Amino acid sequence: MLNILREEFPEVTISKIRFLEAEGLIEPQRTPSGYRKFTPRDVERLGHVLRMQRDHYLPLKAIREYLDAVERGERPAAPLVGRQSGPPPRDEVTVSRLGRAELLAAAGVDEAELTAWESYGLVAPLPDGHYDARLVRIARLVSELGRHGIEPRHLRATKAAADREAGLVEQVVAPLVRHRNPQTRAQAEERTRELADLATGLHSALVELALDLRS
């Protein structure tokens, strides 16, 4: 079962699957000796859960409610997460902010890990105490790096570099942002995304080149 899932989700672990079971996302049968028995239906449901977490950063509660409704024969609208370019359709649910418990569940991390990341400035709540849903992906990446021995304190430079790049992008688009024309402001948003993609690509290319030169 694990090998099947790892074809699409190479980072999945037994502990992750047991966590999802504890959260009620799956209910595998048990053999008389107590071993878990995963059916093809269980594997398919796990795939849906992992895919919705990976692609949409959804909290586990939203995923569970959606999949349960599907299995009851209903046709619910797929829940969405993150900021949308326009108002969502009336039958869709948009999640842009999460509570602390929702962030922990969606990222699959514990309280101690999140507290440590906050102390190093890698994750921070919004002024109202909630968390931007995009932090789910960041939390997962920090967690995966930790499994390879890269601790939060090692990532402070990465966060500082990201802040500097964001500041540079803001300087470039500032003249467009100050315009009252909605079309010009929309161009500013598009330019911001474009520059962010370029900065991310440059960072990735520089890291790959540095590693190749050292090998």
Side-chain angles (χ1 to χ4, degrees):
M1 181 271 297
L2 194 60
N3 290 334
I4 295 175
L5 290 171
R6 278 181 173 164
E7 291 180 3
E8 182 177 355
F9 311 99
E11 75 285 355
V12 71
T13 62
I14 290 294
S15 59
K16 171 72 171 181
I17 293 174
R18 289 180 178 174
F19 170 77
L20 294 175
E21 179 185 357
E23 292 295 317
L25 273 298
I26 55 170
E27 297 180 2
Q29 299 177 357
R30 297 277 185 151
T31 65
S33 56
Y35 290 101
R36 294 172 177 81
K37 183 179 180 180
F38 292 90
T39 65
R41 183 177 179 182
D42 292 325
V43 176
E44 181 181 5
R45 183 177 170 103
L46 268 172
H48 286 310
V49 172
L50 295 171
R51 200 170 294 113
M52 294 176 79
Q53 276 196 309
R54 180 195 64 194
D55 298 341
H56 303 292
Y57 320 131
L58 289 168
L60 296 181
K61 180 181 178 182
I63 296 175
R64 183 174 61 248
E65 291 175 349
Y66 172 76
L67 292 179
D68 287 348
V70 171
E71 291 189 354
R72 289 194 300 267
E74 301 174 13
R75 300 180 62 184
L80 303 175
V81 69
R83 301 185 185 278
Q84 307 300 313
S85 57
R90 294 176 59 185
D91 62 344
E92 290 184 344
V93 179
T94 300
V95 182
S96 61
R97 296 186 177 189
L98 304 174
R100 190 177 184 86
E102 291 177 315
L103 175 60
L104 292 171
V109 301
D110 58 35
E111 180 70 36
E113 289 176 303
L114 182 58
T115 299
W117 300 341
E118 288 177 323
S119 70
Y120 287 104
L122 300 173
V123 175
L126 298 166
D128 64 1
H130 287 77
Y131 294 83
D132 189 299
R134 289 168 291 189
L135 286 174
V136 172
R137 181 168 182 263
I138 292 173
R140 290 180 189 159
L141 291 171
V142 174
S143 178
E144 288 300 320
L145 288 168
R147 292 191 178 96
H148 293 278
I150 300 178
E151 300 177 9
R153 60 188 176 88
H154 300 140
L155 300 174
R156 285 183 295 185
T158 302
K159 178 61 166 62
D163 289 341
R164 288 194 297 270
E165 290 174 3
L168 181 60
V169 170
E170 287 177 346
Q171 290 179 22
V172 173
V173 301
L176 296 175
V177 172
R178 287 194 291 266
H179 277 266
R180 295 184 178 180
N181 187 327
Q183 184 176 359
T184 303
R185 295 179 66 87
Q187 291 176 353
E189 293 181 3
E190 183 178 353
R191 181 73 59 80
T192 299
R193 288 193 293 269
E194 179 183 355
L195 290 173
D197 288 342
L198 289 171
T200 301
L202 175 61
H203 179 84
S204 176
L206 288 172
V207 171
E208 291 179 5
L209 177 60
L211 290 173
D212 288 343
L213 292 176
R214 295 178 185 182
S215 62

